[in-house]
Amino acid sequence: MSHDPTLWYERPATEWETQALPIGNGPLGAMVFGGVAAERIQFNEKTLWTGGPGHDGYDFGTWTTPRPGAVEEVRRRIDREGRVPAEDVAAVLGQPRIGFGAYQTFGDLWLEFPEPGEPGGYRRELSLREAVARVRFTAGGVTYAREYFAANPGNVIAGRFTADRGGAVSFTLRHTSPRDDKTVEAEGDRLVIRGRLADNGLVFEARVRVVVHGGTCTDEGEAIKVTGADSAVFFLSAGTDYADAYPRYRGEDPHARVAEAVDAAVALGYDALRAAHVADHRELFDRVRLDLGGKAPEIPTDRLLRGYGAGPEAGDRALEALLFDYGRYLLIACSRENDVLPANLQGVWNDSISPPWSGDYHVNINLQMNYWPAEPVNLHETTGPYDRFITSLMAPGSRTAREMFGARGWVVGNETNPFGFTGVHDWASAFWFPEAAAWTTRHLYDAYRFTGDLDQLRETAYPVIKGAAEFWLDFLHPDPRDGRLVVSPSYSPEHGDFSAGASMSQQIVREVLANALAAATTLDVDEEFRAAVRAALAGLDPGVRIGSWGQLQEWKQDWDSATDTHRHVSHLYALHPGDEIAPGTPEAEAAAVSLDARGDGGTGWSKAWKINFWARLLDGDRAHRMLSEQLRGSTLDNLWDSHPPFQIDGNFGATAGIAEMLVQSHRGEVHVLPALPAGWADGSVAGLRARGDVTVGVTWRGGSAETITLRTGRAGPITVRTSIAGRCRVHDDGAGELRPRRDGDALTWDAAAGRTYVISAREHVSPTG
C-alpha cells in the first residue's frame, strides 16, 4: 500500500454524486468539484433537518389515537391464517407519516475566478492519509494550486488558493441555496448566512472569513471579492440550534459558537490549523495499514476503476486496498467524538433538500452497517455519535413501547430521524420492524467485547441493552402451533408477508436477550431481570431452521423459493453480524445454499453484506468475488457506493468485509487469515483489532502467514487460530519464547497486559525469535 493512498483525476468534477470529492470532520462535510474558472464547494452541517417538533402535527410516529386490540387483532389473524399480506397489516397498524423531515444541504460556496485560459497539467486529488483535497493546473504561464480540508480541531472547513506568480489570485466568493429561507450579509472579509427553516423553525447560521496576503479583500453586495492577492484562504463554520434532547430537540442559538470557531481559526492561521488537522486525522488513519501486494499504475482513479478485472492484477489489488482505506477515511470524516448525530445514509454529505430516503437513519440494517468496520479497523472513537444517538432514542422509544405495544423498555421502527421518530408509517413493505432497537444495541455490547471497558458497559451499553430486552420480555407471543415464544407480528425486512417468528426476528431477539444476560451477569446486577431473561431464552423459538432444499429458512414455515434473488438476506443474521452460526456446521452449509440461491447481484450495500457472509463461511474466494462485484457494478468514479443512488453503507460494509477476510474474533478466538482469497497470495496488514482488546498484524506469503503480531491490552487466556500453528514459535517481548498449548490449528496461552507476542513460521523465525 502506498504510504499516502490517494484518489486522483485529470479533470474537474461536473456531477456531485459520482465525481466530486468528499471532505468532512464529523459535524461538517463538503464536496469539492475542482473547477478552474468556477469552483463549487457544496457543504453540509449534519443537524440541518426539516421535520420534527416545529412541524405542525409531528407525532414521533406513535399512533395519534389509541388503537386498543390492534396488535392482538393482527396476531390472531396470523395465528389463524399463518401469513398476512403486508398491505393488510399496514392498514391496521400503520399511519401516514407526518413531519418526518429530511436532511438538508446548507448550500454552496462558489468561487468565481477570472477566466484563466486553457488549463494544462490539471490534477484533482484527495489524500486519504492527510484528508486534504487538492487541485493544481497551469494556465497563462501561471501554476495555480488550491487545497481544502475539514478540520475537526476547531470545527471549520478551510481552503487556500496560491499561484507561483505574485498578485495572480483573484476571485469572488458567494453563497447559494435551493431554499429561500436565509439572508446573506457581506462585510469586509466576512460572509454571514443566517436563516430559519420554514418547515420547523430550526435556526441555522454559517460564517465565512477570507484572509489575503497581498492584494485586497472587499465586500460587494452579498459576496466577498479578492483582487490581486499573492494567496488567499477562507475559513467556514456552520451550526443550528438543534439539540438531541427529547421532546423539543432545541438548544442554543448557533451564532456565538459559529462566530467563535471562524474567528479562532483566523487567529490560529491556516498553516497551524492544517498541521493540527493532519495530525488529528493521522492519529486515527495511520493505525491500520493494508498491503495486498499491488501497486497502482499511474492512471487516474476513474480509469483504474473502469479497468478493474481487465488489466494487471497489481492494479486490482491496489484498488481493493484503496477501497478499504477509503471506508476508513469516510468514517473518520463523517463520525467523530464531538458529533451530535451519527453517520446517516449518506454519511454527512447531501446536495439536496429532498434526498433519497430523506438521508435518514434506516435501522433495518443501514445505520448498523455504517459502524460495522469501526471496531475491527481500530476506529473506536468514531462510535461515540452512534452510542449517543441510540441512547437518545430511549425516551421517545419508551413512550412508543408503552402506548403502541403495551410494553416496558423501548422500541424503534424501520427508520428514524434526529427527532425521536420511534413509531410507524404506512409504507407496507417497510413500516414495521420493532426488532430494530435490539439490533442497534448489538454494536454497544460488541464494543465492550473489543475493549473490555467495564465503565462503558455499565454506563452506556447496559441501560440501552436492558431496555431493548425488557420490551421483548413483554411482547413475545406464544406460538399456538408449538408453544414456543415468537415475535408476532413478524416481518422479514422488505420481503414477503407478515407471519409469526420470521428467522431474523427470532435471531435478533435471542441475541439481545443473551447480551442482556451476559452484561447483567458481568456487572452482577438485576438478578430478577436475569431470571426472567433465562426463562424467555429457554422458551424462545430458535429462528434457525434448515428447509426442504437445504436452505436456511427465512420464515418459520418453509416458504423459501430457490429462484428468489431478493437483495435482503435477513435470515442469515445469525451468521453475520450475529455469531450464532459457526462455519462447518449444517446451519453454515444451509446459509451457503441460501446465498447461492440469492446470487451475487443486488444493491451496493447488499453486495457488501455478502462479502461479510462469505468471509464468515471461510470462503475467501467467494468473498473476493463479491468485493469484485461491488467494485465493478456498484462503485462510482469517486469510489462512493451506489445503491443506486449513492448510499454510504456499502462503503463501510466493504471495508468491514475486507477486515473479516483477514481477522475474525467473534467466536472467542483470534482467527488469522480465516478467508484469504487466492488472489491475495502475498500481503500484510497491521493494526486490526480483535475482541479481547487485542491489536493484530500479519504478513503472509504464498497464501500462508509468515509472522503474526498481537498486542494485548488486557491479561487473560488468548487463543489464536492459524494455519501455521503446528510449525511456529511464539515469542513474548517481555518473557522470551513461549510454549503455548496446541490443539490442531489453535494456540492458547495466558497473555499479560501490554505485551507484544510474535508468532513466526519456523522457516521465517528471526535469529532472536
Side-chain angles (χ1 to χ4, degrees):
M1 183 187 81
S2 166
H3 291 299
D4 187 8
T6 299
L7 283 66
W8 71 278
Y9 306 85
E10 293 179 317
R11 58 183 61 85
T14 57
E15 295 182 1
W16 181 90
E17 179 183 12
T18 64
Q19 297 175 347
L21 294 174
I23 57 174
N25 68 3
L28 299 174
M31 295 292 284
V32 177
F33 283 69
V36 173
E39 171 66 285
R40 177 188 175 192
I41 303 169
Q42 183 277 320
F43 70 99
N44 294 95
E45 201 280 344
K46 203 183 288 178
T47 65
L48 189 66
W49 263 76
T50 57
H55 181 103
D56 187 40
Y58 181 66
D59 53 22
F60 301 90
T62 299
W63 289 333
T64 53
T65 56
R67 301 186 189 182
V71 172
E72 285 304 319
E73 174 188 339
V74 173
R75 276 180 169 169
R76 285 193 297 271
R77 184 175 171 188
I78 290 172
D79 288 347
R80 184 174 61 251
E81 300 176 15
R83 60 199 303 173
V84 177
E87 292 77 10
D88 292 6
V89 178
V92 177
L93 301 181
Q95 69 179 16
R97 195 165 71 173
I98 299 173
F100 184 84
Y103 186 38
Q104 300 290 293
T105 177
F106 224 113
D108 299 89
L109 282 189
W110 288 93
L111 295 103
E112 295 160 341
F113 301 88
E115 182 61 52
E118 186 66 26
Y122 181 94
R123 181 179 170 109
R124 174 172 60 97
E125 68 179 31
L126 175 63
S127 163
L128 302 187
R129 192 178 186 215
E130 291 188 323
V132 174
R134 302 183 185 92
V135 178
R136 188 178 183 90
F137 61 91
T138 299
V142 180
T143 298
Y144 298 90
R146 306 167 185 170
E147 68 173 22
Y148 312 90
F149 61 86
N152 186 269
N155 193 35
V156 294
I157 295 170
R160 177 169 63 185
F161 309 90
T162 61
D164 65 357
R165 178 186 298 171
V169 175
S170 298
F171 59 83
T172 299
L173 182 151
R174 60 188 177 88
H175 175 267
T176 63
S177 168
R179 296 183 313 276
D180 184 21
D181 54 10
K182 64 177 174 63
T183 61
V184 180
E185 296 181 0
E187 182 177 354
D189 65 356
R190 301 172 190 264
L191 193 73
V192 180
I193 303 108
R194 184 172 171 86
R196 186 185 296 268
L197 291 179
D199 174 83
N200 61 6
L202 190 80
V203 175
F204 60 88
E205 181 169 322
R207 284 181 168 250
V208 183
R209 285 191 64 184
V210 176
V211 179
V212 298
H213 295 277
T216 61
C217 178
T218 59
D219 59 87
E220 190 174 89
E222 294 184 351
I224 296 174
K225 187 171 185 178
V226 171
T227 305
D230 298 329
S231 66
V233 301
F234 76 81
F235 303 97
L236 176 151
S237 192
T240 76
D241 68 347
Y242 171 84
D244 58 344
Y246 172 80
R248 290 189 62 249
Y249 294 95
R250 291 295 186 275
E252 296 181 354
D253 189 290
H255 170 77
R257 69 176 182 272
V258 172
E260 180 181 350
V262 173
D263 291 345
V266 171
L268 181 63
Y270 183 88
D271 289 338
L273 179 68
R274 187 187 189 282
H277 156 71
V278 171
D280 170 76
H281 176 77
R282 285 183 56 182
E283 198 284 322
L284 297 170
F285 188 82
D286 284 356
R287 292 175 182 176
V288 171
R289 177 172 292 183
L290 174 64
D291 179 358
L292 295 178
K295 179 176 175 56
E298 287 299 317
I299 60 173
T301 303
D302 51 345
R303 286 171 52 195
L304 184 64
L305 176 64
R306 285 194 291 273
Y308 179 79
E313 287 191 8
D316 292 350
R317 301 295 83 79
L319 181 60
E320 291 159 358
L322 183 63
L323 187 72
F324 172 82
D325 285 331
Y326 195 41
R328 297 191 301 120
Y329 166 85
L330 291 171
L331 188 55
I332 297 168
C334 70
S335 188
R336 289 299 302 272
E337 306 91 313
N338 55 336
D339 251 341
V340 177
L341 294 173
N344 60 42
L345 281 174
Q346 297 183 177
V348 65
W349 301 280
N350 167 43
D351 70 334
S352 172
I353 60 174
S354 182
W357 298 282
S358 302
D360 69 12
Y361 299 96
H362 266 54
V363 282
N364 68 344
I365 185 171
N366 311 93
L367 175 60
Q368 295 92 324
M369 184 182 282
N370 283 357
Y371 289 89
W372 282 356
E375 300 294 344
V377 303
N378 213 339
L379 292 176
H380 174 74
E381 292 86 343
T382 65
T383 66
Y386 178 94
D387 296 353
R388 178 173 177 170
F389 183 67
I390 302 307
T391 300
S392 77
L393 293 175
M394 291 180 68
S398 63
R399 176 192 164 206
T400 300
R402 182 175 63 253
E403 295 183 7
M404 286 182 59
F405 297 86
R408 297 171 298 160
W410 70 280
V411 70
V412 64
N414 194 76
E415 66 261 29
T416 187
N417 63 8
F419 306 113
F421 189 97
T422 50
V424 297
H425 52 88
D426 58 358
W427 188 269
S429 64
F431 88 102
W432 186 268
F433 192 58
E435 301 90 329
W439 188 350
T440 66
T441 70
R442 173 184 171 76
H443 177 82
L444 281 79
Y445 187 70
D446 212 27
Y448 163 71
R449 295 174 68 193
F450 274 93
T451 66
D453 186 342
L454 280 172
D455 290 337
Q456 180 267 343
L457 180 66
R458 180 182 299 105
E459 297 165 11
T460 302
Y462 180 63
V464 179
I465 296 167
K466 180 184 177 184
E470 284 179 322
F471 173 86
W472 289 107
L473 291 179
D474 289 355
F475 195 64
L476 287 170
H477 173 65
D479 190 333
R481 293 168 294 184
D482 58 13
R484 306 295 290 180
L485 294 175
V486 292
V487 175
S488 181
S490 173
Y491 190 67
S492 194
E494 303 183 29
H495 193 209
D497 293 332
F498 275 75
S499 65
S503 297
M504 181 185 232
S505 301
Q506 299 303 123
Q507 293 165 18
I508 290 174
V509 172
R510 174 172 291 280
E511 179 181 75
V512 75
L513 293 177
N515 288 348
L517 179 59
T521 302
T522 297
L523 298 172
D524 194 21
V525 295
D526 297 333
E527 180 53 49
E528 186 175 337
F529 169 70
R530 281 189 265 170
V533 171
R534 290 189 196 97
L537 284 168
L540 189 69
D541 185 278
V544 177
R545 287 181 173 81
I546 298 174
S548 58
W549 44 278
Q551 88 285 10
L552 203 67
Q553 291 182 195
E554 186 164 358
W555 298 274
K556 188 170 182 176
Q557 296 88 340
D558 193 351
W559 294 333
D560 301 75
S561 167
T563 61
D564 184 352
T565 58
H566 195 273
R567 64 192 178 280
H568 283 262
V569 198
S570 304
H571 49 305
L572 270 61
Y573 180 95
L575 175 65
H576 183 278
D579 49 32
E580 184 179 350
I581 295 177
T585 62
E587 292 78 14
E589 293 174 9
V593 171
S594 290
L595 283 170
D596 278 328
R598 288 291 166 93
D600 294 342
T603 56
W605 65 262
S606 175
K607 293 173 184 175
W609 198 3
K610 291 171 184 175
I611 300 170
N612 289 269
F613 283 139
W614 286 112
R616 285 283 177 93
L617 291 171
L618 310 186
D619 190 335
D621 288 339
R622 195 65 181 271
H624 189 231
R625 185 200 300 181
M626 290 313 311
L627 175 61
S628 300
E629 289 291 330
Q630 186 169 349
L631 279 165
R632 278 193 289 259
S634 299
T635 301
L636 305 172
D637 282 354
N638 59 6
L639 300 193
W640 264 354
D641 171 74
S642 179
H643 180 280
F646 160 56
Q647 234 176 250
I648 204 165
D649 43 19
N651 285 103
F652 297 138
T655 294
I658 292 170
E660 285 283 326
M661 294 165 74
L662 300 172
V663 175
Q664 295 181 19
S665 61
H666 56 285
R667 300 198 62 81
E669 59 189 25
V670 181
H671 193 171
V672 179
L673 304 183
L676 189 71
W680 296 354
D682 303 328
S684 66
V685 68
L688 294 180
R689 293 278 290 166
R691 293 163 185 84
D693 197 6
V694 181
T695 305
V696 184
V698 57
T699 61
W700 66 91
R701 184 174 298 277
S704 180
E706 287 186 335
T707 304
I708 301 168
T709 304
L710 305 107
R711 297 195 304 275
T712 51
R714 297 177 183 272
I718 184 172
T719 297
V720 179
R721 189 169 297 279
T722 169
S723 62
I724 63 170
R727 52 181 180 87
C728 70
R729 293 178 179 174
V730 181
H731 186 268
D732 176 350
D733 69 346
E737 187 167 340
L738 294 179
R739 296 190 178 277
R741 297 180 292 280
R742 301 176 189 266
D743 182 8
D745 60 358
L747 306 169
T748 301
W749 68 92
D750 294 323
R755 294 283 182 80
T756 297
Y757 298 91
V758 179
I759 304 171
S760 302
R762 287 191 182 274
E763 58 267 36
H764 299 289
V765 174
S766 66
T768 59

